[in-house]
Amino acid sequence: MRQGASVVEVDVRASKDGVLVLMHDKTVNRTTTGQGEVAKHTYAELQKLHLRNQAHGGESEHLIPTLSEALRVAKGKILVDLDFKEDRKEFVKTTYTLIEQEGMEDQVLFFLYDYKDMPKIYKLNPTITLFPRARSMADLAAILKMKLTTVVHLDESFIEIEELEQLREQGIYFWMNSLGEYDDQAAKSGSMAYRSFLEKYPFVRLIQTDQPGLWREVL
């Protein structure tokens, strides 16, 4: 938020006893002082672990945050891209209930790896924005035909510039990552490395990055 980003991405999983926490990996091995799967630890057990300063790095003072804690920090300040990584799909409803309890329906983008899940999840609460991933122009057409969202995640394979720019002008928000190659290049040589990204993907309106400060210099 201090760097002026519009959206923050968080990864959500559930503990053994159903508490929603932020954790990218299926296990706690890489990013905490513990071992084993998140889903096989109770929340109390997870709270005994400390996050590492970096992957496999030294121990920090920080504990694993809950989704509720993260939403309260973000409320009224930044949009939340909620990447639901939990394998147990019954926790989708639990997550939606928590979003409603925190009054965050209009601040959350609920990311979907499979756009075919959209109709079922949409019914849980139509006011929460669904954020599906398209892997092809056929996927994109199917998503837009449903008329359930205006925000879609694309990958670097999308090169149909004219068609995508027309959709952008019609109010569709396309999201793409600069994670990896573009971010690495910008970190080494400066923000000008992002110029080629914008030239190649002029239809993009949302950019996911590890370097929001560098992107601000360009935007």
PDB file of all heavy atoms in Angstrom, residues 173-201:
ATOM      1  N   TYR A 173     -11.339  -5.573 -18.268  1.00  0.00           N
ATOM      2  CA  TYR A 173     -10.033  -5.351 -17.642  1.00  0.00           C
ATOM      3  C   TYR A 173      -9.181  -6.608 -17.801  1.00  0.00           C
ATOM      4  O   TYR A 173      -9.509  -7.660 -17.242  1.00  0.00           O
ATOM      5  CB  TYR A 173     -10.204  -5.045 -16.145  1.00  0.00           C
ATOM      6  CG  TYR A 173     -10.706  -3.658 -15.870  1.00  0.00           C
ATOM      7  CD1 TYR A 173     -12.041  -3.326 -16.053  1.00  0.00           C
ATOM      8  CD2 TYR A 173      -9.846  -2.663 -15.411  1.00  0.00           C
ATOM      9  CE1 TYR A 173     -12.507  -2.046 -15.798  1.00  0.00           C
ATOM     10  CE2 TYR A 173     -10.301  -1.376 -15.151  1.00  0.00           C
ATOM     11  CZ  TYR A 173     -11.636  -1.075 -15.349  1.00  0.00           C
ATOM     12  OH  TYR A 173     -12.088   0.182 -15.096  1.00  0.00           O
ATOM     13  N   PHE A 174      -8.100  -6.489 -18.548  1.00  0.00           N
ATOM     14  CA  PHE A 174      -7.190  -7.611 -18.732  1.00  0.00           C
ATOM     15  C   PHE A 174      -6.013  -7.503 -17.776  1.00  0.00           C
ATOM     16  O   PHE A 174      -5.378  -6.461 -17.666  1.00  0.00           O
ATOM     17  CB  PHE A 174      -6.686  -7.672 -20.175  1.00  0.00           C
ATOM     18  CG  PHE A 174      -7.758  -8.053 -21.152  1.00  0.00           C
ATOM     19  CD1 PHE A 174      -8.063  -7.220 -22.218  1.00  0.00           C
ATOM     20  CD2 PHE A 174      -8.474  -9.229 -21.007  1.00  0.00           C
ATOM     21  CE1 PHE A 174      -9.054  -7.555 -23.118  1.00  0.00           C
ATOM     22  CE2 PHE A 174      -9.466  -9.580 -21.906  1.00  0.00           C
ATOM     23  CZ  PHE A 174      -9.759  -8.738 -22.964  1.00  0.00           C
ATOM     24  N   TRP A 175      -5.717  -8.606 -17.104  1.00  0.00           N
ATOM     25  CA  TRP A 175      -4.658  -8.715 -16.104  1.00  0.00           C
ATOM     26  C   TRP A 175      -3.559  -9.599 -16.670  1.00  0.00           C
ATOM     27  O   TRP A 175      -3.829 -10.641 -17.251  1.00  0.00           O
ATOM     28  CB  TRP A 175      -5.263  -9.341 -14.854  1.00  0.00           C
ATOM     29  CG  TRP A 175      -4.339  -9.751 -13.746  1.00  0.00           C
ATOM     30  CD1 TRP A 175      -3.315 -10.649 -13.798  1.00  0.00           C
ATOM     31  CD2 TRP A 175      -4.407  -9.308 -12.388  1.00  0.00           C
ATOM     32  NE1 TRP A 175      -2.720 -10.795 -12.574  1.00  0.00           N
ATOM     33  CE2 TRP A 175      -3.382  -9.988 -11.684  1.00  0.00           C
ATOM     34  CE3 TRP A 175      -5.221  -8.413 -11.700  1.00  0.00           C
ATOM     35  CZ2 TRP A 175      -3.155  -9.789 -10.325  1.00  0.00           C
ATOM     36  CZ3 TRP A 175      -5.002  -8.228 -10.346  1.00  0.00           C
ATOM     37  CH2 TRP A 175      -3.975  -8.900  -9.674  1.00  0.00           C
ATOM     38  N   MET A 176      -2.323  -9.183 -16.505  1.00  0.00           N
ATOM     39  CA  MET A 176      -1.200 -10.001 -16.946  1.00  0.00           C
ATOM     40  C   MET A 176      -0.030  -9.835 -15.976  1.00  0.00           C
ATOM     41  O   MET A 176       0.112  -8.796 -15.332  1.00  0.00           O
ATOM     42  CB  MET A 176      -0.776  -9.598 -18.368  1.00  0.00           C
ATOM     43  CG  MET A 176       0.237 -10.529 -19.006  1.00  0.00           C
ATOM     44  SD  MET A 176       0.578 -10.084 -20.736  1.00  0.00           S
ATOM     45  CE  MET A 176      -0.913 -10.681 -21.526  1.00  0.00           C
ATOM     46  N   ASN A 177       0.794 -10.863 -15.872  1.00  0.00           N
ATOM     47  CA  ASN A 177       1.960 -10.830 -14.989  1.00  0.00           C
ATOM     48  C   ASN A 177       3.195 -10.279 -15.694  1.00  0.00           C
ATOM     49  O   ASN A 177       3.461 -10.634 -16.841  1.00  0.00           O
ATOM     50  CB  ASN A 177       2.300 -12.235 -14.494  1.00  0.00           C
ATOM     51  CG  ASN A 177       1.223 -12.825 -13.608  1.00  0.00           C
ATOM     52  OD1 ASN A 177       0.372 -12.122 -13.088  1.00  0.00           O
ATOM     53  ND2 ASN A 177       1.261 -14.136 -13.438  1.00  0.00           N
ATOM     54  N   SER A 178       3.955  -9.438 -14.976  1.00  0.00           N
ATOM     55  CA  SER A 178       5.316  -9.120 -15.422  1.00  0.00           C
ATOM     56  C   SER A 178       6.321  -9.845 -14.533  1.00  0.00           C
ATOM     57  O   SER A 178       7.519  -9.587 -14.600  1.00  0.00           O
ATOM     58  CB  SER A 178       5.567  -7.603 -15.379  1.00  0.00           C
ATOM     59  OG  SER A 178       5.606  -7.125 -14.047  1.00  0.00           O
ATOM     60  N   LEU A 179       5.820 -10.756 -13.701  1.00  0.00           N
ATOM     61  CA  LEU A 179       6.668 -11.563 -12.826  1.00  0.00           C
ATOM     62  C   LEU A 179       7.665 -12.363 -13.662  1.00  0.00           C
ATOM     63  O   LEU A 179       7.349 -12.783 -14.774  1.00  0.00           O
ATOM     64  CB  LEU A 179       5.801 -12.535 -12.016  1.00  0.00           C
ATOM     65  CG  LEU A 179       4.705 -11.921 -11.134  1.00  0.00           C
ATOM     66  CD1 LEU A 179       3.791 -13.009 -10.603  1.00  0.00           C
ATOM     67  CD2 LEU A 179       5.322 -11.130  -9.997  1.00  0.00           C
ATOM     68  N   GLY A 180       8.838 -12.561 -13.129  1.00  0.00           N
ATOM     69  CA  GLY A 180       9.821 -13.345 -13.863  1.00  0.00           C
ATOM     70  C   GLY A 180      10.713 -12.472 -14.726  1.00  0.00           C
ATOM     71  O   GLY A 180      11.345 -11.529 -14.246  1.00  0.00           O
ATOM     72  N   GLU A 181      10.711 -12.742 -16.034  1.00  0.00           N
ATOM     73  CA  GLU A 181      11.657 -12.114 -16.955  1.00  0.00           C
ATOM     74  C   GLU A 181      11.619 -10.592 -16.900  1.00  0.00           C
ATOM     75  O   GLU A 181      12.669  -9.943 -16.766  1.00  0.00           O
ATOM     76  CB  GLU A 181      11.357 -12.584 -18.384  1.00  0.00           C
ATOM     77  CG  GLU A 181      12.248 -11.942 -19.444  1.00  0.00           C
ATOM     78  CD  GLU A 181      11.828 -12.316 -20.855  1.00  0.00           C
ATOM     79  OE1 GLU A 181      10.987 -13.234 -21.004  1.00  0.00           O
ATOM     80  OE2 GLU A 181      12.336 -11.679 -21.800  1.00  0.00           O
ATOM     81  N   TYR A 182      10.430 -10.001 -17.022  1.00  0.00           N
ATOM     82  CA  TYR A 182      10.340  -8.539 -17.067  1.00  0.00           C
ATOM     83  C   TYR A 182      10.725  -7.908 -15.725  1.00  0.00           C
ATOM     84  O   TYR A 182      11.451  -6.902 -15.683  1.00  0.00           O
ATOM     85  CB  TYR A 182       8.940  -8.102 -17.478  1.00  0.00           C
ATOM     86  CG  TYR A 182       8.649  -8.305 -18.946  1.00  0.00           C
ATOM     87  CD1 TYR A 182       7.948  -9.422 -19.384  1.00  0.00           C
ATOM     88  CD2 TYR A 182       9.088  -7.386 -19.891  1.00  0.00           C
ATOM     89  CE1 TYR A 182       7.685  -9.617 -20.738  1.00  0.00           C
ATOM     90  CE2 TYR A 182       8.835  -7.567 -21.248  1.00  0.00           C
ATOM     91  CZ  TYR A 182       8.134  -8.688 -21.665  1.00  0.00           C
ATOM     92  OH  TYR A 182       7.874  -8.877 -22.997  1.00  0.00           O
ATOM     93  N   ASP A 183      10.245  -8.484 -14.627  1.00  0.00           N
ATOM     94  CA  ASP A 183      10.605  -7.960 -13.312  1.00  0.00           C
ATOM     95  C   ASP A 183      12.108  -8.091 -13.058  1.00  0.00           C
ATOM     96  O   ASP A 183      12.745  -7.178 -12.518  1.00  0.00           O
ATOM     97  CB  ASP A 183       9.838  -8.707 -12.215  1.00  0.00           C
ATOM     98  CG  ASP A 183       8.460  -8.105 -11.948  1.00  0.00           C
ATOM     99  OD1 ASP A 183       8.098  -7.119 -12.615  1.00  0.00           O
ATOM    100  OD2 ASP A 183       7.753  -8.627 -11.063  1.00  0.00           O
ATOM    101  N   ASP A 184      12.683  -9.235 -13.445  1.00  0.00           N
ATOM    102  CA  ASP A 184      14.116  -9.447 -13.228  1.00  0.00           C
ATOM    103  C   ASP A 184      14.944  -8.430 -14.007  1.00  0.00           C
ATOM    104  O   ASP A 184      15.924  -7.870 -13.499  1.00  0.00           O
ATOM    105  CB  ASP A 184      14.510 -10.864 -13.652  1.00  0.00           C
ATOM    106  CG  ASP A 184      13.916 -11.932 -12.737  1.00  0.00           C
ATOM    107  OD1 ASP A 184      13.450 -11.576 -11.641  1.00  0.00           O
ATOM    108  OD2 ASP A 184      13.899 -13.112 -13.137  1.00  0.00           O
ATOM    109  N   GLN A 185      14.518  -8.174 -15.246  1.00  0.00           N
ATOM    110  CA  GLN A 185      15.243  -7.220 -16.084  1.00  0.00           C
ATOM    111  C   GLN A 185      15.141  -5.803 -15.525  1.00  0.00           C
ATOM    112  O   GLN A 185      16.120  -5.053 -15.503  1.00  0.00           O
ATOM    113  CB  GLN A 185      14.690  -7.263 -17.514  1.00  0.00           C
ATOM    114  CG  GLN A 185      15.521  -6.466 -18.517  1.00  0.00           C
ATOM    115  CD  GLN A 185      14.978  -6.609 -19.933  1.00  0.00           C
ATOM    116  OE1 GLN A 185      14.120  -7.442 -20.195  1.00  0.00           O
ATOM    117  NE2 GLN A 185      15.480  -5.789 -20.838  1.00  0.00           N
ATOM    118  N   ALA A 186      13.934  -5.458 -15.040  1.00  0.00           N
ATOM    119  CA  ALA A 186      13.738  -4.114 -14.473  1.00  0.00           C
ATOM    120  C   ALA A 186      14.550  -3.930 -13.200  1.00  0.00           C
ATOM    121  O   ALA A 186      15.094  -2.848 -12.946  1.00  0.00           O
ATOM    122  CB  ALA A 186      12.255  -3.887 -14.201  1.00  0.00           C
ATOM    123  N   ALA A 187      14.640  -4.983 -12.391  1.00  0.00           N
ATOM    124  CA  ALA A 187      15.400  -4.900 -11.150  1.00  0.00           C
ATOM    125  C   ALA A 187      16.892  -4.678 -11.430  1.00  0.00           C
ATOM    126  O   ALA A 187      17.586  -4.005 -10.664  1.00  0.00           O
ATOM    127  CB  ALA A 187      15.199  -6.171 -10.332  1.00  0.00           C
ATOM    128  N   LYS A 188      17.369  -5.226 -12.560  1.00  0.00           N
ATOM    129  CA  LYS A 188      18.783  -5.103 -12.916  1.00  0.00           C
ATOM    130  C   LYS A 188      19.096  -3.792 -13.642  1.00  0.00           C
ATOM    131  O   LYS A 188      20.108  -3.141 -13.374  1.00  0.00           O
ATOM    132  CB  LYS A 188      19.209  -6.284 -13.790  1.00  0.00           C
ATOM    133  CG  LYS A 188      19.211  -7.616 -13.069  1.00  0.00           C
ATOM    134  CD  LYS A 188      19.554  -8.747 -14.040  1.00  0.00           C
ATOM    135  CE  LYS A 188      19.493 -10.102 -13.353  1.00  0.00           C
ATOM    136  NZ  LYS A 188      19.753 -11.217 -14.300  1.00  0.00           N
ATOM    137  N   SER A 189      18.211  -3.417 -14.579  1.00  0.00           N
ATOM    138  CA  SER A 189      18.542  -2.294 -15.462  1.00  0.00           C
ATOM    139  C   SER A 189      17.620  -1.089 -15.351  1.00  0.00           C
ATOM    140  O   SER A 189      17.806  -0.103 -16.060  1.00  0.00           O
ATOM    141  CB  SER A 189      18.565  -2.784 -16.921  1.00  0.00           C
ATOM    142  OG  SER A 189      17.320  -3.341 -17.289  1.00  0.00           O
ATOM    143  N   GLY A 190      16.592  -1.172 -14.484  1.00  0.00           N
ATOM    144  CA  GLY A 190      15.720  -0.018 -14.303  1.00  0.00           C
ATOM    145  C   GLY A 190      14.358  -0.178 -14.968  1.00  0.00           C
ATOM    146  O   GLY A 190      14.118  -1.106 -15.745  1.00  0.00           O
ATOM    147  N   SER A 191      13.482   0.771 -14.667  1.00  0.00           N
ATOM    148  CA  SER A 191      12.085   0.677 -15.067  1.00  0.00           C
ATOM    149  C   SER A 191      11.859   0.722 -16.577  1.00  0.00           C
ATOM    150  O   SER A 191      10.796   0.312 -17.056  1.00  0.00           O
ATOM    151  CB  SER A 191      11.279   1.794 -14.407  1.00  0.00           C
ATOM    152  OG  SER A 191      11.789   3.068 -14.771  1.00  0.00           O
ATOM    153  N   MET A 192      12.827   1.216 -17.332  1.00  0.00           N
ATOM    154  CA  MET A 192      12.646   1.278 -18.787  1.00  0.00           C
ATOM    155  C   MET A 192      12.443  -0.104 -19.400  1.00  0.00           C
ATOM    156  O   MET A 192      11.910  -0.227 -20.505  1.00  0.00           O
ATOM    157  CB  MET A 192      13.849   1.956 -19.438  1.00  0.00           C
ATOM    158  CG  MET A 192      13.961   3.456 -19.126  1.00  0.00           C
ATOM    159  SD  MET A 192      12.505   4.385 -19.666  1.00  0.00           S
ATOM    160  CE  MET A 192      12.684   4.232 -21.451  1.00  0.00           C
ATOM    161  N   ALA A 193      12.820  -1.148 -18.681  1.00  0.00           N
ATOM    162  CA  ALA A 193      12.630  -2.514 -19.182  1.00  0.00           C
ATOM    163  C   ALA A 193      11.151  -2.827 -19.380  1.00  0.00           C
ATOM    164  O   ALA A 193      10.796  -3.708 -20.177  1.00  0.00           O
ATOM    165  CB  ALA A 193      13.247  -3.513 -18.210  1.00  0.00           C
ATOM    166  N   TYR A 194      10.298  -2.085 -18.683  1.00  0.00           N
ATOM    167  CA  TYR A 194       8.859  -2.348 -18.804  1.00  0.00           C
ATOM    168  C   TYR A 194       8.252  -1.740 -20.066  1.00  0.00           C
ATOM    169  O   TYR A 194       7.107  -2.047 -20.405  1.00  0.00           O
ATOM    170  CB  TYR A 194       8.121  -1.809 -17.580  1.00  0.00           C
ATOM    171  CG  TYR A 194       8.394  -2.591 -16.317  1.00  0.00           C
ATOM    172  CD1 TYR A 194       8.730  -1.935 -15.133  1.00  0.00           C
ATOM    173  CD2 TYR A 194       8.301  -3.977 -16.296  1.00  0.00           C
ATOM    174  CE1 TYR A 194       8.967  -2.642 -13.970  1.00  0.00           C
ATOM    175  CE2 TYR A 194       8.546  -4.697 -15.130  1.00  0.00           C
ATOM    176  CZ  TYR A 194       8.876  -4.024 -13.974  1.00  0.00           C
ATOM    177  OH  TYR A 194       9.111  -4.729 -12.824  1.00  0.00           O
ATOM    178  N   ARG A 195       8.973  -0.873 -20.745  1.00  0.00           N
ATOM    179  CA  ARG A 195       8.444  -0.264 -21.973  1.00  0.00           C
ATOM    180  C   ARG A 195       8.092  -1.324 -23.011  1.00  0.00           C
ATOM    181  O   ARG A 195       7.060  -1.247 -23.675  1.00  0.00           O
ATOM    182  CB  ARG A 195       9.453   0.724 -22.558  1.00  0.00           C
ATOM    183  CG  ARG A 195       9.752   1.933 -21.695  1.00  0.00           C
ATOM    184  CD  ARG A 195       8.601   2.898 -21.664  1.00  0.00           C
ATOM    185  NE  ARG A 195       8.922   4.084 -20.862  1.00  0.00           N
ATOM    186  CZ  ARG A 195       8.043   5.025 -20.547  1.00  0.00           C
ATOM    187  NH1 ARG A 195       6.796   4.907 -20.969  1.00  0.00           N
ATOM    188  NH2 ARG A 195       8.402   6.060 -19.812  1.00  0.00           N
ATOM    189  N   SER A 196       8.954  -2.327 -23.135  1.00  0.00           N
ATOM    190  CA  SER A 196       8.701  -3.374 -24.127  1.00  0.00           C
ATOM    191  C   SER A 196       7.477  -4.202 -23.758  1.00  0.00           C
ATOM    192  O   SER A 196       6.752  -4.691 -24.637  1.00  0.00           O
ATOM    193  CB  SER A 196       9.931  -4.277 -24.274  1.00  0.00           C
ATOM    194  OG  SER A 196      10.260  -4.892 -23.041  1.00  0.00           O
ATOM    195  N   PHE A 197       7.233  -4.347 -22.463  1.00  0.00           N
ATOM    196  CA  PHE A 197       6.032  -5.064 -22.003  1.00  0.00           C
ATOM    197  C   PHE A 197       4.772  -4.329 -22.461  1.00  0.00           C
ATOM    198  O   PHE A 197       3.846  -4.927 -23.016  1.00  0.00           O
ATOM    199  CB  PHE A 197       6.055  -5.177 -20.475  1.00  0.00           C
ATOM    200  CG  PHE A 197       4.886  -5.917 -19.882  1.00  0.00           C
ATOM    201  CD1 PHE A 197       4.979  -7.271 -19.594  1.00  0.00           C
ATOM    202  CD2 PHE A 197       3.692  -5.264 -19.588  1.00  0.00           C
ATOM    203  CE1 PHE A 197       3.906  -7.954 -19.029  1.00  0.00           C
ATOM    204  CE2 PHE A 197       2.614  -5.936 -19.032  1.00  0.00           C
ATOM    205  CZ  PHE A 197       2.731  -7.294 -18.759  1.00  0.00           C
ATOM    206  N   LEU A 198       4.754  -3.020 -22.258  1.00  0.00           N
ATOM    207  CA  LEU A 198       3.592  -2.221 -22.639  1.00  0.00           C
ATOM    208  C   LEU A 198       3.399  -2.172 -24.146  1.00  0.00           C
ATOM    209  O   LEU A 198       2.266  -2.128 -24.638  1.00  0.00           O
ATOM    210  CB  LEU A 198       3.731  -0.803 -22.076  1.00  0.00           C
ATOM    211  CG  LEU A 198       3.694  -0.692 -20.551  1.00  0.00           C
ATOM    212  CD1 LEU A 198       3.986   0.736 -20.122  1.00  0.00           C
ATOM    213  CD2 LEU A 198       2.355  -1.148 -20.001  1.00  0.00           C
ATOM    214  N   GLU A 199       4.500  -2.176 -24.884  1.00  0.00           N
ATOM    215  CA  GLU A 199       4.405  -2.180 -26.343  1.00  0.00           C
ATOM    216  C   GLU A 199       3.860  -3.504 -26.861  1.00  0.00           C
ATOM    217  O   GLU A 199       3.093  -3.540 -27.820  1.00  0.00           O
ATOM    218  CB  GLU A 199       5.781  -1.896 -26.951  1.00  0.00           C
ATOM    219  CG  GLU A 199       6.254  -0.465 -26.728  1.00  0.00           C
ATOM    220  CD  GLU A 199       7.710  -0.274 -27.100  1.00  0.00           C
ATOM    221  OE1 GLU A 199       8.349  -1.259 -27.563  1.00  0.00           O
ATOM    222  OE2 GLU A 199       8.234   0.848 -26.923  1.00  0.00           O
ATOM    223  N   LYS A 200       4.232  -4.585 -26.210  1.00  0.00           N
ATOM    224  CA  LYS A 200       3.803  -5.920 -26.651  1.00  0.00           C
ATOM    225  C   LYS A 200       2.373  -6.222 -26.228  1.00  0.00           C
ATOM    226  O   LYS A 200       1.634  -6.904 -26.945  1.00  0.00           O
ATOM    227  CB  LYS A 200       4.746  -6.977 -26.071  1.00  0.00           C
ATOM    228  CG  LYS A 200       4.529  -8.366 -26.645  1.00  0.00           C
ATOM    229  CD  LYS A 200       5.607  -9.318 -26.167  1.00  0.00           C
ATOM    230  CE  LYS A 200       5.429 -10.706 -26.787  1.00  0.00           C
ATOM    231  NZ  LYS A 200       6.475 -11.661 -26.322  1.00  0.00           N
ATOM    232  N   TYR A 201       1.961  -5.690 -25.068  1.00  0.00           N
ATOM    233  CA  TYR A 201       0.622  -5.975 -24.530  1.00  0.00           C
ATOM    234  C   TYR A 201      -0.115  -4.670 -24.212  1.00  0.00           C
ATOM    235  O   TYR A 201      -0.407  -4.377 -23.048  1.00  0.00           O
ATOM    236  CB  TYR A 201       0.734  -6.831 -23.272  1.00  0.00           C
ATOM    237  CG  TYR A 201       1.557  -8.083 -23.452  1.00  0.00           C
ATOM    238  CD1 TYR A 201       2.806  -8.209 -22.837  1.00  0.00           C
ATOM    239  CD2 TYR A 201       1.101  -9.139 -24.239  1.00  0.00           C
ATOM    240  CE1 TYR A 201       3.566  -9.362 -22.994  1.00  0.00           C
ATOM    241  CE2 TYR A 201       1.862 -10.291 -24.404  1.00  0.00           C
ATOM    242  CZ  TYR A 201       3.093 -10.391 -23.779  1.00  0.00           C
ATOM    243  OH  TYR A 201       3.852 -11.522 -23.939  1.00  0.00           O
TER     244      TYR A 201
END
